[in-house]
């Protein structure tokens, strides 16, 4: 079942002194309930602009966006739409507003007018989901980057969204923080059925998704399962993107005549494929 749909969306930023800048061109996509969709694209390809259309922060110049059949063009739907689609930004410091973890997570539902007793329940639940319950009375500024980003995710979860849109949530984090955040996002999707749209520059993160969209100059130029999209190494390089390292290793070996499948994504799959090839050649 579909949760979100964009239909022929084009968008221009109006610059007073220059010609309008076309950033999205005829973008049509759907996000299905429960799916994990990754959006890839070179810098400036329009990913963040697209994400801002998902919760009515931006409205299309032409075309339309529906969230659960509510059009973002109708201002009376904005509150419902923003409740349905929660946004997590790149820098958790821009998203966190209070000094204490649980106060921060309570901020969103407080603003929605949720009853105090219900807020306490939601804060508990959200902190448990991101595995930060033990830090509920800690100072936000003493947390690591990965912990801060998980608290930011909890703050969005406490508003009970149906869909999480994460715009490069791991870009400012070290490898440990990235792993923590990605484990959390994956768990929310797999175990709690949360619909996830992840914008990322990390191919390994996109490889975890059910489906990948590739954007280039405001258009969707590729779409499919990660194994399909990443098997097209040259096509991705043409839009200045890489593939996951295990995929690249197998691609380079294949070019040297080693018989390996084109759809390897993970280290485990690469090991399997190489072991099978090696045994076959003995
Ligand atoms: N507020 C704005 N006003 C004018 N132009 C903008 C504005 N925000 C973004 N742009 C331009 O729109 C284009 C797309 O930007 P956008 O931020 O959507 O790309 P992106 O794919 O998210 O890039 P990145 O990977 O760097 O985050 C860029 O050329 C950018 O300079
Ligand atoms: Mg961006």
């Amino acid at each position: 079942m579909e949760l979100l749909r964009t239909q022929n969306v084009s968008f221009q930023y109006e610059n007073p002194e220059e010609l309008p800048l076309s950033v999205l061109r005829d973008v049509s996509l759907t996000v299905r309930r429960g799916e994990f969709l990754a959006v890839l694209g070179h810098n400036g390809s329009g990913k963040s602009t697209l994400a801002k259309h998902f919760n009515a922060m931006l409205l299309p110049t032409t075309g339309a966006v529906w969230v659960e059949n509510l059009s973002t063009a109708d201002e009376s739907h904005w509150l419902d739409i923003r409740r349905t689609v929660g946004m997590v930004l790149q820098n958790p410091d821009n998203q966190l507003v209070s000094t204490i973890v649980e106060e921060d997570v309570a901020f969103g539902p407080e603003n929605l007018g949720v009853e105090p007793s219900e807020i306490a329940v939601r804060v508990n639940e959200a902190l448990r989901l991101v595995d930060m319950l033990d830090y509920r009375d800690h100072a936000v500024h003493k947390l690591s980057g990965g912990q801060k980003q998980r608290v930011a995710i909890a703050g969005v979860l406490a508003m009970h969204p149906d869909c999480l849109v994460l715009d490069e949530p791991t870009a400012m984090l070290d490898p440990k923080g990235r792993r923590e955040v990605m484990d959390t996002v994956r768990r929310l999707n797999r175990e709690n059925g949360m619909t996830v749209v992840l914008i990322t520059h990390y191919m390994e993160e996109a490889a975890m998704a059910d489906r990948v969209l590739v954007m280039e100059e405001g258009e969707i130029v590729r779409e499919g399962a990660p194994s399909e999209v990443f098997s097209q190494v040259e096509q991705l390089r043409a839009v200045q993107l890489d593939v996951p390292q295990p995929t690249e290793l197998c691609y380079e070996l294949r070019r040297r005549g080693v018989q390996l499948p084109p759809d390897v994504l993970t280290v485990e799959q690469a090991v399997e494929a190489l072991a099978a090839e090696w045994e076959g050649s003995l």
Side-chain angles (χ1 to χ4, degrees):
M1 210 171 60
E2 121 190 348
L3 192 146
L4 188 151
R5 177 155 53 103
T6 76
Q7 194 174 348
N8 307 106
V9 166
S10 296
F11 179 79
Q12 298 180 336
Y13 283 109
E14 300 292 339
N15 294 328
E17 272 125 56
E18 296 163 45
L19 288 172
L21 179 68
S22 281
V23 175
L24 297 178
R25 298 159 208 254
D26 210 22
V27 174
S28 296
L29 62 85
T30 59
V31 180
R32 291 185 286 272
R33 195 169 269 284
E35 87 166 321
F36 180 173
L37 175 68
V39 180
L40 290 172
H42 192 63
N43 289 332
S45 57
K47 305 179 298 293
S48 296
T49 304
L50 178 64
K52 287 176 185 156
H53 281 76
F54 292 169
N55 74 345
M57 278 159 73
L58 290 176
L59 301 177
T61 309
T62 60
V65 178
W66 283 277
V67 176
E68 299 219 292
N69 298 321
L70 301 178
S71 166
T72 61
D74 186 341
E75 194 176 337
S76 69
H77 295 153
W78 288 357
L79 194 60
D80 273 339
I81 285 171
R82 286 175 191 157
R83 252 181 225 162
T84 306
V85 179
M87 194 74 77
V88 177
L89 306 173
Q90 187 177 98
N91 185 348
D93 289 327
N94 294 341
Q95 190 132 355
L96 300 173
V97 288
S98 302
T99 51
I100 302 297
V101 167
E102 63 185 351
E103 287 170 16
D104 195 275
V105 178
F107 183 80
E110 273 165 11
N111 272 334
L112 294 177
V114 175
E115 291 287 317
S117 58
E118 164 74 7
I119 290 177
V121 173
R122 288 192 186 194
V123 168
N124 253 309
E125 170 200 63
L127 285 172
R128 187 176 50 73
L129 284 171
V130 301
D131 205 15
M132 285 295 287
L133 204 48
D134 292 345
Y135 291 83
R136 57 181 313 149
D137 53 4
H138 283 227
V140 169
H141 75 271
K142 288 193 178 155
L143 302 178
S144 71
Q147 290 172 329
K148 279 187 194 172
Q149 193 58 292
R150 284 187 287 149
V151 172
I153 293 172
V156 175
L157 292 176
M159 293 189 276
H160 282 183
D162 291 322
C163 176
L164 272 185
V165 177
L166 305 112
D167 191 352
E168 299 194 41
T170 64
M172 323 240 343
L173 307 181
D174 60 15
K176 180 165 175 287
R178 278 172 51 199
R179 209 161 37 240
E180 285 171 19
V181 168
M182 283 311 299
D183 284 349
T184 302
V185 169
R186 197 142 63 142
R187 194 156 35 76
L188 285 168
N189 173 254
R190 297 278 147 86
E191 293 173 20
N192 303 90
M194 180 63 69
T195 308
V196 171
V197 179
L198 173 75
I199 296 171
T200 184
H201 278 285
Y202 293 107
M203 304 302 143
E204 284 73 14
E205 295 179 2
M208 297 174 189
D210 299 317
R211 191 157 63 101
V212 178
L213 291 180
V214 180
M215 296 200 57
E216 165 76 349
E217 295 188 357
E219 287 178 288
I220 297 175
V221 292
R222 286 274 168 285
E223 196 237 307
S227 56
E228 289 170 49
V229 170
F230 288 128
S231 66
Q232 306 295 320
V233 177
E234 280 101 8
Q235 287 179 357
L236 285 174
R237 286 187 177 160
V239 294
Q240 302 170 66
L241 292 177
D242 288 323
V243 297
Q245 281 178 353
T247 315
E248 181 165 5
L249 174 70
C250 291
Y251 168 78
E252 293 298 342
L253 287 169
R254 242 184 5 261
R255 291 209 314 165
R256 285 163 179 74
V258 184
Q259 299 286 318
L260 291 171
D263 57 355
V264 167
L265 290 176
T266 64
V267 171
E268 291 75 20
Q269 289 168 354
V271 169
E272 284 292 316
L274 282 162
E277 161 65 12
W278 196 35
E279 276 162 22
S281 69
L282 287 180

